[in-house]
Amino acid sequence: MSTTALNDLSRFPIVQAPMAGGASCPELVGAVCEAGALGFLAGGYKTAGGLYQEIKRVRALTSRPFGVNVFMPQTGRPGDPAAVGLYRHQLAGEATWYDTVLGDTDDSGDDFYDAKLAILLEDPVPVVSFTFGCPARETLQAFARAGTYTVVTVTSADEALAAERAGADAVCVQGVEAGGHQGTYRDDPAGEGPSGTGLLTLLTLVREAVGLPMVAAGGIMRGAQIAAVLAAGAVAAQLGTAFLVCPESGAHPLHKQALTDPLFHRTELTRAFSGRPARGLVNRFVREHGPYAPAAYPEVHHLTAPLRKAAATAGDAQGMALWAGQGHRLARELPAGDLVEVLAAELDTALTGLAGAHVPRSSS
């Protein structure tokens, strides 16, 4: 495929991020695609059959191209059983408080990967993206033969190089500002610092390392920011938090409300809910358990799943995983189609301003 193939799939260089957990539902994807952007279904945390049914629903809602995101299997060293056991003990009070039980941590970490690939190869969709790693070259070649455009999420230039060598068509460059999980290939606590790489810097690093088209992700909420990442070399911008508050989004109402609630004024990366670094609004659960959560994904995800569900049922946002990017306070409660139109208009205004901008010469 040519380097412009991704842009040929939608009218605007706007991608709606795949947000696992229910937000990126068929209704949101369909509305985004109909408005001229590229919508994405989140395949994570679903069975293969469940994903297939959602793909059918999207196709009934729109004839336009859309994408599906797949989580890579977690094939590395599993979390330390002793650390997971200690965290289970620390969460016992939460289970009592919400009158529920803690989840089983013995569930498989492959997220039905092979079965999902089989579905996507047998009945191809226009775009498939991958998170938490890079597929084998043979897998990417199979998708190329099926006519599917492939995108691999990267958080460093080294990961982008690996994606290029494997044969990916494009990379989704995820800055540290992004909400939800950091899509790193390996979760290495020993090499973990207090902060990651910001999107504009990361785009430059990746652009100078590989020749693949880049989709920029992380904290983007306005058309002017889309213009900025296009100027930095991206072919499109991916927005997640901006679409969370749309009425078509499948996010819980408390999650939507929290994004602009002054009570939740900041975000941070935490392992509290899943065992992998993920950016969310700082609430009671993050404050109390984040410092002690082990590096154990998906064990911690399964462990806390009943707690998160019980908190949502109880209407308690302080116990929920409120994933959000750093720009969450800029969220606008608009129908998805209207939001795409507003973003496109803002982008057009910003690009017009850039085209007419006068760069002053140095007086020296």
Side-chain angles (χ1 to χ4, degrees), residues 87-100 102 284-285 288-289 307:
Y87 196 51
R88 176 182 289 275
H89 177 73
Q90 291 170 333
L91 294 179
E94 298 281 351
T96 300
W97 175 259
Y98 290 115
D99 193 22
T100 188
L102 295 171
R284 177 193 61 79
F285 198 100
E288 292 183 1
H289 302 294
L307 295 178

Side-chain angles (χ1 to χ4, degrees), residues 207-257:
R207 185 181 61 183
E208 295 190 2
V210 302
L212 294 177
M214 302 184 298
V215 178
I220 302 172
M221 303 292 287
R222 295 288 189 266
Q225 292 173 290
I226 299 175
V229 297
L230 295 181
V235 300
Q238 180 171 287
L239 292 75
T241 304
F243 285 102
L244 269 179
V245 295
C246 294
E248 298 92 342
S249 160
H252 193 281
L254 288 176
H255 190 172
K256 295 182 180 184
Q257 294 166 14

Side-chain angles (χ1 to χ4, degrees), residues 161-254:
L161 279 167
E164 185 175 54
R165 294 185 186 117
D169 290 312
V171 287
C172 178
V173 181
Q174 185 193 44
V176 73
E177 305 95 331
H181 285 95
Q182 292 286 291
T184 50
Y185 286 12
R186 291 189 307 161
D187 181 18
D188 182 10
E192 194 175 90
S195 61
T197 306
L199 178 58
L200 289 177
T201 298
L202 187 57
L203 283 170
T204 305
L205 291 169
V206 172
R207 185 181 61 183
E208 295 190 2
V210 302
L212 294 177
M214 302 184 298
V215 178
I220 302 172
M221 303 292 287
R222 295 288 189 266
Q225 292 173 290
I226 299 175
V229 297
L230 295 181
V235 300
Q238 180 171 287
L239 292 75
T241 304
F243 285 102
L244 269 179
V245 295
C246 294
E248 298 92 342
S249 160
H252 193 281
L254 288 176

Side-chain angles (χ1 to χ4, degrees), residues 288-354:
E288 292 183 1
H289 302 294
Y292 313 107
Y297 177 88
E299 294 93 337
V300 172
H301 165 77
H302 295 307
L303 182 67
T304 66
L307 295 178
R308 290 178 274 125
K309 182 178 180 180
T313 300
D316 183 10
Q318 295 293 339
M320 297 169 59
L322 305 172
W323 304 135
Q326 288 184 341
H328 64 96
R329 297 298 293 274
L330 297 171
R332 296 175 283 201
E333 193 174 347
L334 295 171
D338 291 352
L339 179 57
V340 170
E341 292 179 4
V342 168
L343 289 167
E346 291 174 345
L347 170 61
D348 186 62
T349 298
L351 292 176
T352 300
L354 286 172

Side-chain angles (χ1 to χ4, degrees), residues 5-364:
L6 188 66
N7 295 108
D8 294 339
L9 296 175
S10 60
R11 180 182 173 193
F12 304 120
I14 299 171
V15 178
Q16 165 252 308
M19 297 170 282
S24 298
C25 59
E27 290 72 22
L28 177 62
V29 176
V32 167
C33 292
E34 285 295 295
L38 181 64
F40 258 90
L41 272 179
Y45 308 139
K46 295 184 178 79
T47 64
L51 176 60
Y52 177 68
Q53 292 302 318
E54 291 204 353
I55 291 173
K56 286 177 60 178
R57 285 168 57 194
V58 172
R59 286 175 168 151
L61 292 168
T62 182
S63 60
R64 298 180 185 273
F66 66 97
V68 173
N69 176 259
V70 178
F71 285 173
M72 291 296 298
Q74 302 302 291
T75 56
R77 186 175 62 184
D80 180 3
V84 174
L86 178 59
Y87 196 51
R88 176 182 289 275
H89 177 73
Q90 291 170 333
L91 294 179
E94 298 281 351
T96 300
W97 175 259
Y98 290 115
D99 193 22
T100 188
V101 295
L102 295 171
D104 183 2
T105 58
D106 294 329
D107 286 355
S108 171
D110 70 359
D111 199 45
F112 308 103
Y113 178 73
D114 289 336
K116 289 173 182 176
L117 292 191
I119 287 172
L120 293 169
L121 288 169
E122 181 178 339
D123 190 5
V125 299
V127 189
V128 172
S129 67
F130 299 88
T131 302
F132 299 152
C134 183
R137 172 177 290 275
E138 294 75 20
T139 298
L140 294 173
Q141 288 174 339
F143 277 110
R145 289 192 296 270
T148 296
Y149 194 90
T150 53
V151 183
V152 175
T153 303
V154 301
T155 61
S156 70
D158 286 343
E159 291 178 351
L161 279 167
E164 185 175 54
R165 294 185 186 117
D169 290 312
V171 287
C172 178
V173 181
Q174 185 193 44
V176 73
E177 305 95 331
H181 285 95
Q182 292 286 291
T184 50
Y185 286 12
R186 291 189 307 161
D187 181 18
D188 182 10
E192 194 175 90
S195 61
T197 306
L199 178 58
L200 289 177
T201 298
L202 187 57
L203 283 170
T204 305
L205 291 169
V206 172
R207 185 181 61 183
E208 295 190 2
V210 302
L212 294 177
M214 302 184 298
V215 178
I220 302 172
M221 303 292 287
R222 295 288 189 266
Q225 292 173 290
I226 299 175
V229 297
L230 295 181
V235 300
Q238 180 171 287
L239 292 75
T241 304
F243 285 102
L244 269 179
V245 295
C246 294
E248 298 92 342
S249 160
H252 193 281
L254 288 176
H255 190 172
K256 295 182 180 184
Q257 294 166 14
L259 292 174
T260 53
D261 186 338
L263 181 65
F264 303 101
H265 62 277
R266 67 183 182 91
T267 66
E268 70 177 45
L269 292 173
T270 181
R271 296 182 184 274
F273 294 105
S274 73
R276 232 183 192 273
R279 183 172 298 282
L281 300 176
V282 177
N283 59 7
R284 177 193 61 79
F285 198 100
V286 170
R287 288 192 298 270
E288 292 183 1
H289 302 294
Y292 313 107
Y297 177 88
E299 294 93 337
V300 172
H301 165 77
H302 295 307
L303 182 67
T304 66
L307 295 178
R308 290 178 274 125
K309 182 178 180 180
T313 300
D316 183 10
Q318 295 293 339
M320 297 169 59
L322 305 172
W323 304 135
Q326 288 184 341
H328 64 96
R329 297 298 293 274
L330 297 171
R332 296 175 283 201
E333 193 174 347
L334 295 171
D338 291 352
L339 179 57
V340 170
E341 292 179 4
V342 168
L343 289 167
E346 291 174 345
L347 170 61
D348 186 62
T349 298
L351 292 176
T352 300
L354 286 172
H358 171 67
V359 180
R361 298 185 179 217
S362 171
S363 58
S364 60

